[in-house]
Every structure is written in structure tokens, then in C-alpha cells.
């Protein structure tokens, strides 16, 4: 069974394995290149700032850290969901379970009204995860990569009233 848990400094090695895998090719180069310890230090720093506007969790099966998931709060009750899984965890339902659990947290504990998410155009499996978790595709968002190229990222949305 897939679950979520808070991250700790001792997760640095597992975070490094997650951030060095195939999923990272879908992130902008500067975010993918940040080393795991620096990333984890930054993330844990967010957790200690009140009021917390971003929540990061580890995606786990038993004690095995398979991925990372986050919700960032924006104005007017909107949040943005993001996640990444180790490549050897793809296609097993862990992403869908984690997204559903994080949605419950975002709507019930944080009190958000709507969650949005996007995925890289070359990663349709992420779109299937979002759809299985109840998100509806709303169109695309043009995002610029560091090399100046623009890509149309599929965009999704889930409202608290539609969440089941």
C-alpha cells in the first residue's frame, strides 16, 4: 500500500536516487541539476516557516521512499500539485494513490478550493495518473525552457467540490 510521510535529513540518499532517475528529464535543467542534499535542505526549510505555503511529502511503500509529492498554495484558494517517482516504481499505481492522498490533504487539511497540475508533453503517463485521481484536462500552458524553446504542457484541474 502506498502512503505519504514527511521527509527528513536522513532521506538524502533516497532523494538522490529519485532525482537522478528518468523522471528528471521532464524537469527544467536547473531544477534537475540541483543536488539532492541542497534540494532536501531547501524543502525542509519550507516546512519550518510559518505559515507554511508548500508541503512536501515522500511517497512510500513500507520503508521504501519511491517518490516525492508536493502542494504549493497560491492566492484565492488555489494550489499546485507536483510529483516525481523513481523509474522502477512507474506503472504500479503508486503515483495515483499518492496523488489521491495528497488531494485529500490539500482539500481537507489545508482548505484549498482547487488544485492544478501540469505534466511535460513527452510524459503522457503523468496525465493518466492525474485523470485516474479525478483531475480534468483544461487545456495547455505554454512554458519556456531554459534554452528558450516553448512547449505546450497539458494542464489539469480538480476542485474540492468535485473531489470524491
Amino acid at each position: 500500500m502506498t502512503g505519504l510521510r514527511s521527509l527528513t535529513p536522513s532521506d538524502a540518499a533516497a532523494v538522490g536516487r529519485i532525482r537522478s532517475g528518468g523522471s528528471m528529464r521532464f524537469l527544467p535543467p536547473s531544477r534537475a541539476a540541483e543536488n539532492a542534499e541542497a534540494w532536501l535542505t531547501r524543502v525542509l526549510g519550507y516546512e519550518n516557516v510559518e505559515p507554511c505555503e508548500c508541503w512536501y511529502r515522500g511517497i512510500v511503500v513500507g520503508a521504501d521512499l519511491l517518490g516525492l509529492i508536493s502542494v504549493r498554495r497560491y492566492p484565492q484558494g488555489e494550489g499546485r500539485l507536483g510529483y516525481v517517482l523513481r523509474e522502477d516504481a512507474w506503472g504500479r499505481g503508486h503515483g495515483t494513490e499518492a496523488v489521491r492522498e495528497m488531494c485529500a490533504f490539500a482539500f481537507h487539511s489545508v482548505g484549498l478550493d482547487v488544485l492544478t497540475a501540469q505534466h511535460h508533453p513527452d510524459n503522457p503517463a503523468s496525465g493518466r495518473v492525474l485523470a485516474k485521481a479525478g483531475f480534468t484536462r483544461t487545456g495547455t500552458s505554454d512554458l519556456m525552457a531554459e534554452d528558450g524553446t516553448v512547449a505546450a504542457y497539458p494542464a489539469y484541474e480538480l476542485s474540492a467540490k468535485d473531489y470524491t
Side-chain angles (χ1 to χ4, degrees), residues 46-71:
Y46 286 145
E47 295 274 335
N48 296 320
V49 176
E50 289 296 330
C52 185
E53 297 296 323
C54 190
W55 296 265
Y56 288 88
R57 299 292 181 263
I59 301 169
V60 296
V61 172
D64 192 13
L65 184 62
L66 304 176
L68 307 165
I69 191 165
S70 67
V71 167

Side-chain angles (χ1 to χ4, degrees), residues 3-91:
L4 303 181
R5 69 165 173 81
S6 295
L7 297 168
T8 68
S10 65
D11 289 323
V15 167
R17 286 189 297 278
I18 293 163
R19 293 181 55 80
S20 67
S23 299
M24 299 309 285
R25 72 179 178 272
F26 298 118
L27 291 179
S30 64
R31 288 190 51 210
E34 184 179 20
N35 79 40
E37 282 191 45
W39 182 87
L40 191 56
T41 299
R42 182 170 51 83
V43 165
L44 294 175
Y46 286 145
E47 295 274 335
N48 296 320
V49 176
E50 289 296 330
C52 185
E53 297 296 323
C54 190
W55 296 265
Y56 288 88
R57 299 292 181 263
I59 301 169
V60 296
V61 172
D64 192 13
L65 184 62
L66 304 176
L68 307 165
I69 191 165
S70 67
V71 167
R72 180 175 298 273
R73 183 197 324 249
Y74 289 95
Q76 289 80 42
E78 182 179 309
R80 172 136 332 136
L81 177 82
Y83 57 93
V84 61
L85 287 173
R86 270 189 348 228
E87 199 166 349
D88 65 343
W90 293 355

Side-chain angles (χ1 to χ4, degrees), residues 25 27-30 120 122 143-151 153:
R25 72 179 178 272
L27 291 179
S30 64
H120 192 281
D122 293 339
L143 298 176
M144 185 178 301
E146 288 189 353
D147 65 3
T149 60
V150 175
Y153 280 61

Side-chain angles (χ1 to χ4, degrees), residues 121-140:
D122 293 339
N123 187 8
S126 249
R128 290 189 295 275
V129 165
L130 292 168
K132 287 178 192 174
F135 283 76
T136 301
R137 184 160 174 192
T138 58
T140 60

